[in-house]
Amino acid sequence: MKRILKKIGVALIVILVGIQFIPTNTNKQDSIPKTDFRFVYNTSRKVIDVFETSCYDCHSNNTNYPWYSNLQPMRYFMDQHTLKGKEELNFSEFETYSDRMKRNKIRSIKGQIEEDKMPLSSYLLMHPKANLTKERKDIVLTFLNSLN
Amino acid sequence: MKKYRLKLVVAFLGGSLLLASCGNNSESDKDVHQHDEGMANDHENHNHGRVNEDRELSKNVGDVKGDLSFILDDYFSLNESLVKDDASGAAKASEGLINSLKSLKTSGLSESQQKEIDEIMESAVENAEHIFENAENIKHQREHLVSLSVDIKDLITIVGTTQKLYEDFCPMADDNNGAIWISNKEAIRNPYMGSKMPECGKVQNTIN
């Protein structure tokens, strides 16, 4: 019994070490691109701060990586989130959307925030700062409503 | 003690592996793929039955720059599902709609019209995809119907159609922001309010 357990333990350690070599994506950009959301609309520092802290990790070309992001399997999940998030909405490339798509995106952002669907609760577990308090929610919703 | 520690390590490692497999997307990706194939086949059959009808239609084509009948049929059946509060029916209809949208062929469009069609398509497909993916969330489906209906309306304006259609408006839709939809029947069948208020709204425009 003991020997079997030991074998399993060794195997698991090998796997855990092995998965550390899974290739990762690094979603980082040194400067803010001209196509960024903040340049498309007249956004105040306050508004963009909220978006940056609560949305940009998964919805832009620049993720703020926490320390554990260097460990698998955590990094794998983060990469998946960022991939999917950017496909749905990318603040860094907002200018490249057509006017019709911009309108759709603004509508969706508003809906998701109003209904507390975003940021995802699983993301908030590890990023409590990203939580949209009533005050921060009001800041962005007031801004988004002013765009109509 | 040593044995205990080993068990602890095993439990921990086992736990993190379990966590890893929970988030594994490859299985569901495969599902979606198979689904896509099924979708394409469905669509082929779907088109077959309507070939004759098409020919009839193309006889009296004047300014019409493409055949929107497949797109419109799927869009109408999507709306009809939402009138009945049938979210899974709506998801199914939007699956057909995605295909119809992607297979639209147009001719004689100016460069600027083509650009606009491309933008409408991108938006309409995205809206239909959201409706397809939210078979459990009719509220979200209806949110996307708001912009999808604008896409459909603009598509009709550019491409044209020989069908007699109605642009309906409900002031209470979209959380009282008001929203339009396109219908092929004069009687109001409201996809936003569903069985709560199926007749809310009015015809605000007729096409043809």
Side-chain angles (χ1 to χ4, degrees), chain B residues 122-138:
Chain B
E122 191 190 11
S123 165
V125 168
E126 193 180 81
N127 283 319
E129 278 170 355
H130 274 265
I131 296 171
F132 173 59
E133 287 159 11
N134 280 276
E136 322 255 291
N137 187 351
I138 200 161

Side-chain angles (χ1 to χ4, degrees), chain A:
Chain A
M1 185 61 189
K2 205 173 151 190
R3 249 166 80 193
I4 294 174
L5 276 181
K6 206 168 165 185
K7 271 189 185 161
I8 295 174
V10 170
L12 286 176
I13 289 170
V14 169
I15 291 169
L16 203 68
V17 170
I19 62 171
Q20 301 309 319
F21 294 96
I22 293 175
T24 57
N25 277 324
T26 301
N27 189 44
K28 267 279 171 207
Q29 214 159 38
D30 294 333
S31 61
I32 297 161
K34 284 200 175 71
T35 51
D36 190 274
F37 184 81
R38 78 196 69 203
F39 305 124
V40 178
Y41 303 104
N42 195 5
T43 49
S44 67
R45 186 66 242 172
K46 239 169 142 185
V47 167
I48 213 67
D49 262 351
V50 177
F51 283 127
E52 273 186 330
T53 351
S54 297
C55 320
Y56 270 54
D57 274 353
C58 297
H59 291 290
S60 82
N61 293 339
N62 194 33
T63 304
N64 261 323
Y65 288 101
W67 64 269
Y68 57 81
S69 69
N70 294 315
L71 293 172
Q72 292 289 14
M74 284 75 112
R75 180 55 169 265
Y76 175 79
F77 297 131
M78 292 185 72
D79 285 350
Q80 295 300 312
H81 269 199
T82 310
L83 219 67
K84 178 91 178 52
K86 280 166 66 171
E87 195 186 297
E88 210 57 62
L89 164 71
N90 190 338
F91 280 102
S92 300
E93 292 167 11
F94 205 85
E95 176 55 32
T96 63
Y97 295 132
S98 67
D99 287 350
R100 185 179 296 267
M101 284 298 263
K102 285 189 186 112
R103 227 164 36 222
N104 291 356
K105 299 293 175 195
I106 295 289
R107 254 183 67 82
S108 298
I109 298 170
K110 221 172 6 182
Q112 294 286 305
I113 293 179
E114 269 167 357
E115 289 168 39
D116 297 317
K117 298 266 170 63
M118 283 282 163
L120 292 176
S121 46
S122 58
Y123 169 75
L124 290 177
L125 269 179
M126 297 306 262
H127 299 81
K129 268 195 198 151
N131 185 32
L132 285 180
T133 57
K134 184 166 183 314
E135 188 198 353
R136 283 156 46 81
K137 206 167 144 178
D138 282 349
I139 293 174
V140 276
L141 287 178
T142 310
F143 163 75
L144 291 168
N145 284 321
S146 77
L147 296 179
N148 292 340

